[in-house]
DNA sequence: GTGCATGCAAAAATTTTGCACATCA
DNA sequence: TGATGTGCAAAATTTTTGCATGCAC
């Protein structure tokens, strides 16, 4: 999926809600989608500044929140860090976090997802989203 | 498991590390263990104040961190809230969170845990801890 | 033109840190 | 007694909010 397609979806979301399609919002959205992996709000703001298209922290936060609500971004918190990642064009995945080096690895596991779906059903919860965080020591760190 | 047993373990942890067994630490530890479910640092501080055994915020944070390191407490973050819970005498469990009413339900699912263990193995990570957060609408909220 | 969004700065909320004094072993 | 912990207050973070101005529709 291209940045343009992503932006188009964001525009559509804004339109259907009567919200404005502004430059600041497009910049923040584009910056997020161009970011591989995860970013926090401060880093995103920093990148925008470097690109010569700064956005106020408040705007970054407000836009990221919009993107999450639109289903175009995911938000997750680890170790006091609030991270965002683009949610489209990237398959759903969970995270493996190395507590020694801080590396974050992604993985997808079908049986795990299936079991999660079953848990939802058994408990009578209607699923909206979920997140699995596996903390451990990565091969590199435990091998040395 | 009784509060006293829990405290004894904490004392042992402190002793083996050459740390002091102080009143403030005992109070915070006892308050955490007496708390059903989850508490945040501010709430814990509030309870201590009500009991007439106040502890400074800094002390609450420092002690909770010790308890986590000792394996006597678990820490998890949800929706910008940092929560702590006693980790002993309570079986390991995951969380189901209702995004409508804010209720937090606990569950344990053996097949899910097994699959998680397999994921660790497949990726070569040495497990330390994990957390599964399932967001959704609880039966009460979706039924009405 | 009207209304929503932005940017700024101030505020809020949360957690950490420095340091003098108190406490523990 | 000497090392470690506590409390306080200040600081550092991180995120939110109020409000005047600026854009989008």
């Amino acid at each position: 999926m291209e940045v343009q397609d992503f932006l188009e979806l964001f525009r559509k979301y804004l339109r259907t809600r009567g919200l404005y399609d502004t430059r600041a919002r497009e910049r923040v959205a584009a910056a997020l989608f161009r970011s591989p992996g995860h970013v926090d709000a401060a880093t995103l703001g920093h990148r925008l500044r470097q690109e010569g298209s700064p956005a106020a922290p408040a705007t970054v936060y407000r836009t990221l929140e919009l993107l999450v609500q639109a289903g175009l971004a995911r938000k997750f918190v680890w170790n006091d860090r609030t991270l965002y990642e683009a949610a489209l064009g990237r398959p759903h995945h969970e995270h493996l976090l190395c507590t020694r080096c801080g590396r974050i690895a992604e993985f997808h596991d079908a049986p795990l997802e299936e079991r999660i779906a079953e848990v939802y059903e058994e408990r009578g919860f209607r699923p909206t989203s979920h997140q699995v965080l596996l903390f451990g020591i990565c091969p590199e760190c435990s091998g040395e």
Side-chain angles (χ1 to χ4, degrees), chain A residues 39-68:
Chain A
V39 271
D40 58 38
T43 304
L44 211 56
H46 190 245
R47 282 191 200 154
L48 289 167
R49 225 169 300 128
Q50 284 189 320
E51 292 173 9
S53 56
T59 302
V60 174
Y61 282 106
R62 287 186 282 229
T63 305
L64 286 173
E65 206 47 51
L66 274 179
L67 287 163
V68 170

Side-chain angles (χ1 to χ4, degrees), chain A residues 63-122:
Chain A
T63 305
L64 286 173
E65 206 47 51
L66 274 179
L67 287 163
V68 170
Q69 282 164 22
L72 298 172
R74 285 190 284 261
K75 175 185 184 176
F76 79 99
V77 180
W78 173 53
N79 225 20
D80 309 325
R81 292 211 306 152
T82 302
L83 302 170
Y84 295 86
E85 65 180 14
L88 284 181
R90 297 178 187 179
H92 173 73
H93 57 260
E94 310 299 349
H95 296 101
L96 259 164
L97 310 105
C98 180
T99 54
R100 193 161 295 173
C101 69
R103 194 161 69 87
I104 301 179
E106 300 178 350
F107 73 92
H108 179 78
D109 187 77
L112 185 66
E113 300 295 325
E114 278 167 31
R115 190 61 208 158
I116 286 172
E118 286 165 18
V119 169
Y120 270 118
E121 186 136 357
E122 286 172 12

